[in-house]
Amino acid sequence: MTDASQTQPSGIDRTEDRPVYVVGGGPGGLATAAALRAKGVRAVVLEKSEQIGASWRRHYDRLHLHTTRKLSGLPGLPMPRRFGRWVSRDNVVKYLEKYAEFHELEIITGVEISRIDPAPDGRGWLLHGSGGRELTGSAVVIATGYNHTPRLPDWPGLASYEGELLHASDYRNAKPYAGRDVLVVGVGNTGAEIAVDLVEDGASRVRLAVRTAPHIVRRSTAGWPAQRTGILIRRLPVAFVDRLARPMAKLSTPDLSAHGLPRPDTGLYSRVREGAIPVQDVGLIDAVRTGSVEPVAAVESFEDGKVLLADGTSIAPDVVIAATGYSRGLDSLVGHLGILDADGRPTIEGAKTSPSAPGLYVNGYVNPISGMLREIARDAERIARALSR
């Protein structure tokens, strides 16, 4: 195995046996492969699951895109009008399947790439795959997904907790929790929507553990989607957007402080730049206002079958659902190549590559206010242009 510090790829060798390998068969990987194919560059998608779009297939049943259909299509194929304005999870999966077929993408499933190194001859990259496979590519695009590895906090006492606990990635629908007392931990878009789903399908009690009060925005106001606002403000100064957002929030969303969910004391766009996307309201405001969803303090630990909260109280729910996010899961794959920050996030994106890893690109590891699928599509075309030169 060649160490990255000893040999670096010297250039792109576009021979038929050294295609561009795209690691990941989700939207980022498929979009990039299609954009490369349109430029005449051979791209081979490597997907560890047996089907493309694996992470989308695992999402909870009621999920719909928070971005509009028109602004969520990938390069070369718009989403069908029959999918409606807010596309369902199942229709996203159908679209990805049709997308791969329409663009005649070269996809190999059932192959998991565990590590990427510079090729021994210095021309391209060596990919180490499951089953002892070794593949050499002229360039590599990493697109294994933003929601890759479920993250569960290391709460004190968790190891001895005998109650029912699951990560949001394992939640499908509310039917198993009808008539039960459920605590949802985390008030991002996933936690908020799961809490509403539980209320609507008959959970006896739903509490929502909140560490930091979120910004809540309407998904659409008078027909104008929040995504379009995000596109307009994305390049504006952070402080300016923060000031603009405060009065807009007071006009568009009610103050829920009396119900345990105060307005945040930090700016909306400042939070976005830190990685916290606003919660798009799909029923949370009404659920909190009516008491159907009860905000409570953050989870601190587990003890004697109970959940201890940051305000010193304890509760004993029947079920705990941890909507506590994901890690990118890139450390073992490319952590030795100098392209990750201290939190394991890529320091490059789109057409940008690193001097320590020329010819290595990533797509799909940012969650911008302008919409992830929109930015995935744009980055795919940027990568294709860079690799076709």
Side-chain angles (χ1 to χ4, degrees):
M1 183 176 297
T2 305
D3 186 82
S5 63
Q6 296 172 340
T7 306
Q8 291 298 337
S10 59
I12 295 183
D13 177 13
R14 289 196 189 88
T15 56
E16 195 62 21
D17 64 333
R18 292 198 179 187
V20 175
Y21 281 113
V22 181
V23 184
L30 300 180
T32 305
L36 285 166
R37 192 176 189 280
K39 293 288 187 181
V41 178
R42 183 187 174 208
V44 178
V45 178
L46 304 172
E47 166 57 45
K48 70 176 182 179
S49 301
E50 296 303 323
Q51 296 174 296
I52 61 171
S55 65
W56 277 96
R57 297 175 193 274
R58 293 193 299 266
H59 283 312
Y60 48 93
D61 295 348
R62 73 172 281 156
L63 177 67
H64 285 68
L65 292 180
H66 291 164
T67 55
T68 66
R69 169 183 52 80
K70 288 185 178 180
L71 295 173
S72 300
L74 302 179
L77 184 68
M79 288 187 171
R81 291 187 55 148
R82 67 178 183 276
F83 286 177
R85 193 180 199 193
W86 312 105
V87 182
S88 70
R89 177 205 63 185
D90 289 347
N91 280 334
V92 171
V93 172
K94 290 177 183 177
Y95 171 70
L96 294 179
E97 291 174 338
K98 180 63 177 179
Y99 190 83
E101 177 188 350
F102 178 83
H103 287 292
E104 299 179 341
L105 300 183
E106 191 173 347
I107 301 171
I108 303 174
T109 59
V111 176
E112 182 173 8
I113 302 302
S114 58
R115 182 180 169 101
I116 298 172
D117 285 305
D121 61 6
R123 294 164 40 241
W125 294 92
L126 179 65
L127 293 79
H128 304 270
S130 53
R133 295 178 179 87
E134 290 191 345
L135 306 169
T136 305
S138 60
V140 175
V141 181
I142 309 298
T144 51
Y146 190 85
N147 295 338
H148 185 271
T149 305
R151 184 174 60 231
L152 195 64
D154 187 19
W155 287 303
L158 180 60
S160 60
Y161 181 65
E162 296 181 353
E164 185 175 349
L165 183 146
L166 66 152
H167 190 271
S169 59
D170 295 317
Y171 177 89
R172 295 294 170 269
N173 56 62
K175 291 179 182 178
Y177 312 104
R180 304 178 75 184
D181 182 340
V182 185
L183 172 67
V184 180
V185 184
V187 68
N189 278 294
T190 297
E193 192 158 4
I194 287 176
V196 172
D197 195 39
L198 289 162
V199 166
E200 292 180 353
D201 277 0
S204 64
R205 186 175 190 180
V206 179
R207 285 173 282 199
L208 184 60
V210 179
R211 184 170 298 279
T212 304
H215 287 275
I216 304 175
V217 300
R218 301 288 187 183
R219 186 169 65 175
S220 178
T221 303
W224 178 266
Q227 182 188 8
R228 288 200 177 275
T229 302
I231 292 170
L232 292 174
I233 68 172
R234 189 181 180 199
R235 302 300 180 188
L236 295 177
V238 173
F240 174 77
V241 176
D242 284 348
R243 288 196 300 271
L244 183 66
R246 290 189 190 102
M248 295 301 296
K250 291 180 180 179
L251 287 172
S252 62
T253 58
D255 186 356
L256 300 174
S257 300
H259 304 280
L261 197 60
R263 293 190 188 279
D265 55 10
T266 53
L268 183 148
Y269 204 24
S270 295
R271 293 283 301 281
V272 170
R273 297 298 291 269
E274 295 170 358
I277 295 297
V279 171
Q280 293 203 13
D281 179 45
V282 290
L284 181 66
I285 290 175
D286 287 343
V288 170
R289 194 158 44 181
T290 61
S292 301
V293 171
E294 307 167 48
V296 297
V299 171
E300 287 292 298
S301 61
F302 291 77
E303 185 178 312
D304 297 329
K306 294 184 178 181
V307 182
L308 306 185
L309 304 179
D311 61 2
T313 62
S314 64
I315 58 177
D318 299 323
V319 184
V320 177
I321 300 175
T324 47
Y326 297 79
S327 65
R328 310 293 83 85
L330 294 171
D331 295 271
S332 60
L333 187 67
V334 294
H336 55 292
L337 298 175
I339 66 165
L340 304 180
D341 65 16
D343 295 320
R345 296 173 298 194
T347 56
I348 57 175
E349 62 178 281
K352 298 177 183 177
T353 188
S354 169
S356 67
L360 183 68
Y361 299 85
V362 304
N363 192 357
Y365 297 98
V366 294
N367 193 11
I369 198 169
S370 50
M372 180 178 284
L373 290 177
R374 177 181 183 269
E375 297 308 322
I376 279 174
R378 290 160 66 87
D379 278 345
E381 293 182 322
R382 293 181 183 117
I383 292 169
R385 285 196 296 270
L387 283 173
S388 66
R389 293 190 186 114

